[in-house]
Amino acid sequence: RNKENFDILEGFLSELLNDDIIIVDLLESESNQEKETDKFNRVDVLAKDSTNTLILIEVQYDRELDYFHRIAYGGAKLITNYFQKSQKYGELKKVITVHIVYFDLGKGNDYLYKGTTQFVGMNNNDILKLNDAQKQLFKTEEISDIFPQNFLIRVEAFNNEIKNRLDEWIY
């Protein structure tokens, strides 16, 4: 959370997301509440990439069994906070969340996971695709690029084996 270390975090995020990332703001948890009864997300850092995609970075040390729901809430809250009443839905900001957790979260063999949204046919098991007009409007090829992407880094699952540049950052 020290501004002097932003270049380190920007370098790590740039490697993770394959884009130039710039940190925009440090966020305090209580400042995310509009009303006293609102939930707040404990997001630490807000960043943007070269296409102005909003990137939330959260570091979590305490075990929370419902952490996956917290991921969904934090991303949804960010989308709504940056969407104006006069905007068209096609203008919604893209959101990426990066969660660095220091506790056992779920079962899996990897330390790094990426979650995306796909629409899979219930009868034919095909993946729904964008048509040409939608590709032009949204400036993307895949439906999953419209929806939030969530990266989950389970630090304790990292085995200290360096296979690529991202592993070097984690190490």
Side-chain angles (χ1 to χ4, degrees):
R1 296 182 61 83
N2 187 338
K3 291 182 181 184
E4 293 174 4
N5 296 327
F6 278 10
D7 57 338
I8 296 169
L9 182 56
E10 288 171 346
F12 166 69
L13 292 169
S14 295
E15 184 67 31
L16 175 67
L17 302 174
N18 290 324
D19 200 349
D20 291 328
I21 307 302
I22 297 171
I23 294 175
V24 176
D25 201 7
L26 289 174
L27 302 176
E28 298 299 328
S29 58
E30 287 77 17
S31 69
N32 295 335
Q33 291 174 284
E34 293 176 18
K35 297 183 276 185
E36 189 174 314
T37 57
D38 279 354
K39 286 278 192 194
F40 60 86
N41 58 8
R42 298 178 195 137
V43 172
D44 291 328
V45 178
L46 177 64
K48 288 186 179 183
D49 68 8
S50 62
T51 64
N52 285 325
T53 295
L54 299 172
I55 304 165
L56 254 75
I57 302 94
E58 180 173 357
V59 178
Q60 178 65 26
Y61 290 96
D62 298 327
R63 178 180 177 84
E64 291 187 23
L65 287 177
D66 61 352
Y67 192 82
F68 290 111
H69 292 85
R70 185 165 143 177
I71 290 171
Y73 176 79
K77 183 119 172 119
L78 189 65
I79 288 171
T80 58
N81 284 348
Y82 283 86
F83 188 65
Q84 304 298 318
K85 187 176 182 179
S86 61
Q87 287 181 288
K88 296 178 181 177
Y89 287 110
E91 298 175 42
L92 276 174
K93 289 250 186 220
K94 168 74 176 184
V95 168
I96 297 173
T97 66
V98 178
H99 300 269
I100 303 170
V101 298
Y102 286 85
F103 59 92
D104 185 26
L105 181 62
K107 288 186 175 182
N109 297 323
D110 208 332
Y111 75 91
L112 176 63
Y113 290 87
K114 178 182 179 182
T116 60
T117 300
Q118 286 188 327
F119 293 93
V120 180
M122 298 289 288
N123 297 303
N124 300 327
N125 220 26
D126 65 319
I127 305 291
L128 186 65
K129 305 277 186 196
L130 295 173
N131 63 35
D132 290 337
Q134 290 168 322
K135 288 178 184 179
Q136 186 175 2
L137 176 66
F138 304 134
K139 296 178 181 65
T140 189
E141 293 290 315
E142 303 294 330
I143 289 175
S144 61
D145 291 335
I146 296 169
F147 289 88
Q149 295 176 351
N150 303 293
F151 289 84
L152 182 59
I153 301 170
R154 302 177 334 148
V155 176
E156 292 182 354
F158 182 65
N159 63 7
N160 291 333
E161 188 176 326
I162 298 173
K163 298 177 186 171
N164 55 48
R165 290 183 55 167
L166 188 58
D167 288 347
E168 288 179 31
W169 280 101
I170 300 299
Y171 182 79

